[in-house]
Amino acid sequence: MESINVLCVDDDPSIVEMIRLGLETDGMKVSSAGDGAEALDVLAREPIDVILLDIMMPKVDGWMALMEIRNNPLTADIPVIMLTAKTQDLAKILAFKQGVQQYVTKPFNIAGTTYEVRKPT
């Protein structure tokens, strides 16, 4: 089975590293970006199966990146999981209206988490 390519977009390197360790242990390949602009660059260069996207980041935030991802026919169907400190219901509603598959609030615990991300067939 081919490994799943995950793009982790967060401006906190410690969060990116924790996610990388957890997902690579499960056999996934993890790319990273520190903001939305970097994420769009990675998406233009690499095949990505799923995106973990923070909202509050410098330069291009998660909302702007999500809008660009959904408006590009090449990336519009990539599953996006919002990973954020924003716990307000309005942010969750907006995320799901923008086609986000899941909304995870920080802090979270990656240890013992089951990943049900499958490569599209």
Side-chain angles (χ1 to χ4, degrees), residues 18 22 108-115:
M18 180 178 66
F108 59 93
N109 186 350
I110 204 157
T113 302
T114 303
Y115 305 104

Side-chain angles (χ1 to χ4, degrees), residues 24-117:
E24 286 180 349
T25 299
D26 285 349
M28 298 181 203
K29 179 181 176 285
V30 180
S31 299
S32 63
D35 64 47
E38 279 184 38
L40 297 172
D41 288 345
V42 172
L43 287 167
R45 292 189 320 264
E46 298 179 30
I48 298 295
D49 299 309
V50 65
I51 302 166
L52 300 176
L53 183 62
D54 186 20
I55 292 176
M56 295 182 291
M57 295 180 290
K59 296 179 193 164
V60 178
D61 69 12
W63 295 121
M64 292 301 296
L66 180 61
M67 194 171 70
E68 293 289 330
I69 290 164
R70 290 297 177 241
N71 287 335
N72 181 339
L74 300 175
T75 59
D77 294 330
I78 298 174
V80 175
I81 298 169
M82 291 300 250
L83 190 63
T84 181
K86 284 192 168 288
T87 58
Q88 299 94 336
D89 287 343
L90 186 59
K92 290 179 189 174
I93 291 165
L94 181 60
F96 286 116
K97 282 185 180 252
Q98 294 293 327
V100 167
Q101 276 63 37
Q102 192 57 261
Y103 192 96
V104 178
T105 55
K106 297 174 188 174
F108 59 93
N109 186 350
I110 204 157
T113 302
T114 303
Y115 305 104
E116 278 298 316
V117 179

